[in-house]
Structure formats: structure tokens, C-alpha cells
Amino acid sequence: METLRGGGTTSSSPHIVIVGGGFSGTLTAVNLARLAVAPLHVTLVNHGRSTGRGVAYGTGRPEHLLNVAARNMSALPDHPNHFVEWLRTRAEYAGVPDVRLRETFMPRRVYGDYLRSLALHYAQPLDTRSRVRMETIEAEAVNFKTTGHRAQLVVAGGKTLEADKVLLATGNESPAGLPGSDAIDSHPAWCGDPWSDWETRLPADGDIVLLGTGLTTVDAIITLLALGWRGGIHAVSRHGLLPQPHFKGTDDPHFPPAGVDLACLGLESLVRLLEEHCARLRREDANPAMIVDKLRPHTQHIWQAFTDAERLEFIARHAARWNAIRHRIAPSIHRQVTAALASGRLKVTRAGIASVKSRGTKIGVELRGPDGATSCLEAAFAINCTGPHTRFSATRSTLLQNLLHSGAVTPDSMDMGIRVEPDFAAVGRDGRRSPFLFAIGPLLRGTLWESIAVPELRSQALHVAQTMLGEVSAAAVDPGWPAVEETAVIEYLI
Ligand SMILES: Cc1cc2nc3c(=O)[nH]c(=O)nc-3n(C[C@H](O)[C@H](O)[C@H](O)COP(=O)(O)OP(=O)(O)OC[C@H]3O[C@@H](n4cnc5c(N)ncnc54)[C@H](O)[C@@H]3O)c2cc1C
């Protein structure tokens, strides 16, 4: 166990345990330290990825850039310029004009440094009278129980932490397996975890096959280009759509139309309205992707108002196109991908993945095209870039499986994550709000749809810290702390 801080707490201080030390868990710990006015003990339990950085910002590769401009990447919703101000503490950005720095897509590892420095600041405060004792445990949390008035979190190795509240901030899981992938799990030419350091395992030459065409694939393409990969790079997905770049355009005053409540329209009418406005923007020579930006502040409400049948239909018919337009990349990254396509170094194939199998030292990827015709790609190295696993009941996490089996949590109606109340308290199988368990981050995808990027997660981390503090002791919340609402909608727009 690594104790980052010994503070002025006593054994009777409330204890909040956070499972997951990525952005969501770390920022909740930071907000608890910022908000608490009475002694509090906070323990961050993290394993598998770098504490403070998580999956996204744990990359060591300099070519991996944020897909959001610096001006909208503050980790603190009540200090919108915090990240840009922090960047000024680094010599390499000290002289960059503000207007340029705010629009820059920073390396993700620099953002990881930012999160680590924030965590360290609150875990080891210079003020020795700090009320919050924060510690981290580098271990996997595997089980959760209750003893009437307290919770118990069991970590691998058998240690049990007694807690008043437990937050699940377990983040993104590695991609789901593909047909045949279990049998090639330890094959040297197969990589099932695209966020591992696979570049150290690359063969000397040959073709690389990337399964998927989303943001994770773009990361892999950019790394292969940075490494000077000489072989072919193939990316495959059912729709064959690569992410689009951020762009700047003039505002469109006609969308959303005045007086229309987008959340009340229902899927069919909403799609019709969007298609009309996209067609209008095309006629006006404007980028119709702007509609997605303007819809973004409303997407959580729209998703929550959909029926389950509408949500399923959206996922089946529209989600792939939505994701390709919604998840933008830095223009400089887009230029590299476009150049690789133009030069033939990168090929994108529109096909389903029928199976993956061992072929001696290589991996055979069997494809089924839109017309049903089958073909095969032979990969010197193949990477599963299909994006985080999203069927919650099939989670590979021991802790989440145990929580499901005990009924302490229950899947949301889409089985994409866990069911929560609006204040992030978990709802058990009995339909009752848990007095101990909370959840934020990608675990709320089924409830909110948009629950993965920093602009949403920073608000969740602050709100859940306020709620948990309020419940452990009403007196522990600073009454002078202003209620912070979602960041201004315009800040979502890139
Ligand atoms: C490659 C990538 C790039 C991204 N880039 C951006 C970007 O540029 N801008 C943006 O806004 N968003 C980006 N995102 C979205 C990203 O999901 C969020 O920004 C954020 O990093 C999610 O943080 P998290 O803490 O919820 O999850 P994670 O980062 O996944 O962290 C969860 C942590 O919990 C740990 N954990 C899980 N289970 C247990 C357990 N049982 N016991 C102990 N520890 C456990 C995991 O190992 C991990 O360390 C990106 C995502 C990815 C995958």
C-alpha cells in the first residue's frame, strides 16, 4: 500500500473509497479534498493502468493527441481555464500566445501530467493542517459487501477496507473478443488490448490489420506512421467510416429550431429533422457535422427521453454514423491519416469481421463484405481496435461480476452499464437506491449515452463528491460552496 498522505484524520473520520484511478476517480478524490471542511479519509484503489492517468492519458506516445482543444480540457468545471493556466507552468508553452494555446490539441501524456500534478497537490498538500487524508492502493478491488451500516471493499490479496461510501469509477474495459479471438489470445501476432504497449511486439515487416475504424484505430495508425512502418496498414469495419476532424464554422442560427423541444420528438421525428437541416447546410455549402455539435448539449436529455426500443434502434441504425461524426480528431492527426490514405499506405475496407485465426506466425482475418462475399486478410500483426467492451453483464471485471451476482448493482435497461439515480447512487436488483455505492464515468453510458469525455466527466466528479460528502456528514460540506451546474453548453463545441 502506498500512503500518499498522512493527514489530520482520526479512525472515526468518514472513509470514502474510490475504485479506479483514471480521470473520473482521481478527479472525485481531488474534489473531495477541495470540498471537505471536516476530517475525511479518502482511499483510491487502482490497478492495471497508471494511477491518475487511466487508459486515455497513460499513453507514453507523444503523437497521441487529445481530441478536444486545450480550452475545453480543464478538469475543474468551476475553473474553466485551469488546464490552459497549468500549461503555462511548462517552459515549452510559456511563450505561446493565449489564443493559440487555447486551440491546441495537446499530447495526451501532457494531460496525464496535469492530472497527476493535480492529484499530488491534493494528496500531499503543503498545508499540514489539511483535513483530508488521501492514500492510494495499487491493487484490484474484487468484492463488495455490507455490514448493516458500513460497506466493505475487498482488494486482491484479501485486505478489506471498511468504508462509508464506495465510488465505482472503473472506466473503460478492453474491447470485447471477436469470433475466434479466444483461441489466439497468446499468439505473438495478436493484440487484444489496443491500449497496451503493442509497438514493442511488432514484427520486422508485413501488413498490419486494425480491426475497427474509430478513435483507437486512428491512435494505432498515427503510431505506425510515427514509427516509420513500411508495410501495409489495413483498417476494417462494417461501415468503413474514419473519424472526422474538428473544424471551425460560423454558427447556424436555424438549429435547433426555436420552440422545438428536441427531447420530446422521439427518434423518427428527430432523425427526419436532422436530415432536413443537414441537407439545408449542404445546400448552403456549410459542414452538416455542425448539427452534431449543436445537438450535443441536448443528447443526454434526448437519450433519457427515448424508449428502450428507440435506443436499440438508434444503436442498430444510426450509432456508427453518429460516432464517426461526433468523435472528432485533431486536424493535424486527420491530415496524417488522409495523406496515408492518398498514398496507399493505409487502406480502409468496409466489411464485417467473420473470424480471426492463427495462420502459422500470422493472423488470418476473415471478412464478410456488404454483399455477403467473403475474403481474407493475412496480418503480420493484428490489433483489436473495436472500442471498449459495452455489454455490462458480460463484464470481465471480477468486482463488477460480484456486484451483479450479489444484486448490489443491476444493469441499466440497455445493459451498457449500471443503473443509477440522477445523483449517481447505484440502484440494486431490488430497485432500491444503495446507501453506499455510487458510480460515474463510462459505466453510465446506457443511462446517459454521453458519459465518456472530460466535459461530462468533470461535472460528474464534482457532483458525486458533493453528494457523497453530503451523505457522510451534512456538516462536512462547505455551505459556502456554490452549486456548479453543467459547464456552459457552448464550451462543448469545438
Ligand atoms: C485512448 C483514449 C483516448 C481518449 N481521449 C480523450 C480526449 O482526448 N478527450 C476526452 O475528453 N476524452 C478522451 N477519452 C475518453 C476517456 O474515456 C475519458 O476522458 C476518461 O479518461 C475516462 O476516465 P475514467 O477514469 O472514467 O476511466 P479509465 O481511464 O478507464 O480509468 C479507470 C481506472 O480504473 C481502474 N480499475 C478498473 N477496475 C478496477 C478494479 N476492480 N480495481 C482497481 N482498479 C480498477 C482501471 O485499471 C483504470 O486505471 C479517451 C479515451 C480513450 C480510451
Side-chain angles (χ1 to χ4, degrees):
M1 185 197 291
E2 179 196 5
T3 300
L4 289 181
R5 159 90 192 140
T9 59
T10 66
S11 57
S12 60
S13 308
H15 186 198
I16 296 180
V17 176
I18 298 169
V19 184
F23 178 92
S24 304
T26 303
L27 260 295
T28 304
V30 164
N31 284 313
L32 287 169
R34 295 170 71 211
L35 293 169
V37 295
L40 181 72
H41 180 189
V42 178
T43 304
L44 197 61
V45 182
N46 185 56
H47 91 122
R49 310 283 178 180
S50 163
T51 302
R53 299 172 192 267
V55 176
Y57 315 113
T59 176
R61 308 270 340 159
E63 68 275 9
H64 288 165
L65 303 186
L66 293 174
N67 51 35
V68 177
R71 70 180 152 79
N72 199 14
M73 284 299 284
S74 169
L76 306 173
D78 48 322
H79 290 276
N81 212 29
H82 193 260
F83 178 49
V84 174
E85 281 163 14
W86 177 87
L87 284 171
R88 293 270 178 227
T89 65
R90 295 178 64 117
E92 67 267 48
Y93 305 117
V96 182
D98 208 50
V99 67
R100 181 137 60 86
L101 192 59
R102 287 171 59 75
E103 298 307 318
T104 304
F105 294 83
M106 284 293 154
R108 291 210 302 267
R109 65 182 191 174
V110 171
Y111 195 72
D113 295 345
Y114 166 61
L115 298 180
R116 283 285 294 198
S117 76
L118 252 175
L120 204 64
H121 176 80
Y122 286 98
Q124 298 182 350
L126 293 175
D127 180 355
T128 50
R129 291 161 305 172
S130 169
R131 303 172 195 96
V132 178
R133 175 172 153 230
M134 207 193 281
E135 62 186 334
T136 54
I137 297 180
E138 302 278 352
E140 181 181 4
V142 291
N143 209 353
F144 168 90
K145 300 175 204 160
T146 56
T147 55
H149 63 290
R150 283 201 109 189
Q152 291 185 328
L153 190 82
V154 182
V155 296
K159 187 178 170 63
T160 298
L161 304 171
E162 294 262 340
D164 297 283
K165 302 286 167 197
V166 174
L167 174 69
L168 301 172
T170 53
N172 291 300
E173 283 194 38
S174 304
L178 292 164
S181 63
D182 282 351
I184 56 166
D185 208 29
S186 52
H187 194 293
W190 172 250
C191 172
D193 179 358
W195 304 307
S196 58
D197 296 332
W198 50 261
E199 60 275 12
T200 58
R201 298 173 45 208
L202 286 175
D205 51 28
D207 286 349
I208 309 278
V209 178
L210 307 171
L211 304 164
T213 55
L215 294 176
T216 308
T217 297
V218 170
D219 262 6
I221 294 168
I222 293 300
T223 292
L224 290 167
L225 295 176
L227 293 171
W229 184 254
R230 286 163 184 272
I233 308 172
H234 296 267
V236 183
S237 76
R238 241 188 312 255
H239 50 75
L241 298 170
L242 286 162
Q244 297 191 6
H246 288 286
F247 66 94
K248 288 213 177 292
T250 47
D251 189 24
D252 175 30
H254 305 294
F255 189 86
V260 174
D261 183 351
L262 296 171
C264 292
L265 286 180
L267 180 63
E268 208 183 311
S269 305
L270 182 65
V271 169
R272 207 174 315 119
L273 181 75
L274 297 183
E275 281 171 350
E276 278 166 25
H277 281 269
C278 286
R280 174 181 57 76
L281 284 168
R282 271 189 222 99
R283 285 196 302 277
E284 292 169 7
D285 240 358
N287 189 338
M290 192 189 298
I291 294 293
V292 170
D293 293 344
K294 299 209 70 173
L295 206 56
R296 184 133 177 241
H298 307 276
T299 42
Q300 289 189 351
H301 296 129
I302 293 171
W303 181 258
Q304 286 173 302
F306 277 168
T307 62
D308 283 350
E310 285 174 317
R311 291 176 186 177
L312 288 170
E313 194 183 338
F314 175 81
I315 289 169
R317 288 185 45 213
H318 306 289
R321 198 149 57 104
W322 169 268
N323 286 335
I325 301 174
R326 146 75 182 85
H327 296 289
R328 309 268 170 80
I329 50 179
S332 63
I333 299 275
H334 187 258
R335 280 195 292 276
Q336 292 179 63
V337 174
T338 309
L341 273 171
S343 68
R345 293 183 72 189
L346 168 66
K347 290 194 176 63
V348 175
T349 303
R350 206 175 134 223
I353 297 148
S355 71
V356 286
K357 50 181 71 150
S358 167
R359 284 213 182 155
T361 58
K362 300 194 172 178
I363 300 293
V365 181
E366 288 186 8
L367 305 178
R368 187 167 297 114
D371 54 359
T374 55
S375 58
C376 189
L377 286 173
E378 197 162 79
F381 198 73
I383 310 176
N384 185 352
C385 300
T386 53
H389 182 227
T390 53
R391 193 158 71 80
F392 181 68
S393 55
T395 172
R396 278 170 258 165
S397 155
T398 309
L399 173 66
L400 297 178
Q401 277 297 349
N402 282 332
L403 283 163
L404 263 177
H405 285 139
S406 68
V409 303
T410 193
D412 59 57
S413 61
M414 290 288 100
D415 193 14
M416 289 168 74
I418 72 174
R419 204 174 137 200
V420 290
E421 297 263 284
D423 65 357
F424 311 120
V427 175
R429 190 161 53 211
D430 58 5
R432 287 166 54 188
R433 171 196 176 89
S434 168
F436 306 110
L437 265 180
F438 290 79
I440 58 168
L443 280 174
L444 308 193
R445 250 182 309 228
T447 309
L448 300 173
W449 182 251
E450 293 280 359
S451 188
I452 42 170
V454 164
E456 294 104 34
L457 302 188
R458 64 182 166 214
S459 294
Q460 292 182 9
L462 179 59
H463 286 158
V464 82
Q466 286 174 319
T467 306
M468 291 193 298
L469 275 179
E471 288 193 8
V472 289
S473 159
V477 193
D478 184 345
W481 190 269
V484 179
E485 294 307 321
E486 292 284 304
T487 38
V489 290
I490 198 67
E491 279 294 318
Y492 278 54
L493 309 181
I494 311 302

